Amino acid sequence: MNENLPPCPECSGVYTYEMGALYVCPECGHEWPAGGETAEAEAGGAKVIKDAVGNVLADGDTVTVVKTLKVKGSPTGIKAGTKVRNIRLVDGVDGHDIDCKVDGFGPMQLKSSVVKKA
């Protein structure tokens, strides 16, 4: 019955079963995603965030804005070429995965698709 299912990553129990989109271990109660996400989940679930040209971003990096961005409430916006220092990677809303402070605008969130690692 369990010939196709992987053993539990926590206790190595062999009596795992599927429950919807999860695998469940009845011995220790551990649940993990079924399918290809298990390697990412076991590695700590760290999501890799890349900039507009494919460079991997990390906390504390300096990035450059690659296109002019409109900012709600500001008549000028953020011009292309603006450097942003000391970014923080977050799980934001609508793809805004960079938390930063832009000189002249203050704290805001940016999408990684509009910046390039400096």
Side-chain angles (χ1 to χ4, degrees), residues 11-107:
C11 69
S12 301
V14 294
Y15 300 110
T16 58
Y17 63 91
E18 284 187 88
M19 184 173 69
L22 296 174
Y23 289 137
V24 180
C25 176
E27 295 176 8
C28 68
H30 180 66
E31 298 178 353
W32 68 98
E37 299 92 7
T38 56
E40 181 180 328
E42 289 175 9
K47 183 179 175 186
V48 176
I49 298 176
K50 296 184 178 183
D51 65 2
V53 294
N55 297 324
V56 177
L57 296 173
D59 286 345
D61 281 346
T62 298
V63 296
T64 304
V65 178
V66 295
K67 70 180 210 176
T68 302
L69 303 172
K70 295 180 182 177
V71 177
K72 191 174 187 178
S74 172
T76 58
I78 301 173
K79 297 189 186 247
T82 302
K83 285 198 179 224
V84 181
R85 293 176 177 79
N86 199 19
I87 65 169
R88 244 186 8 222
L89 302 177
V90 295
D91 290 331
V93 180
D94 293 331
H96 293 83
D97 45 10
I98 296 175
D99 196 21
C100 60
K101 183 177 178 186
V102 179
D103 291 337
F105 290 94

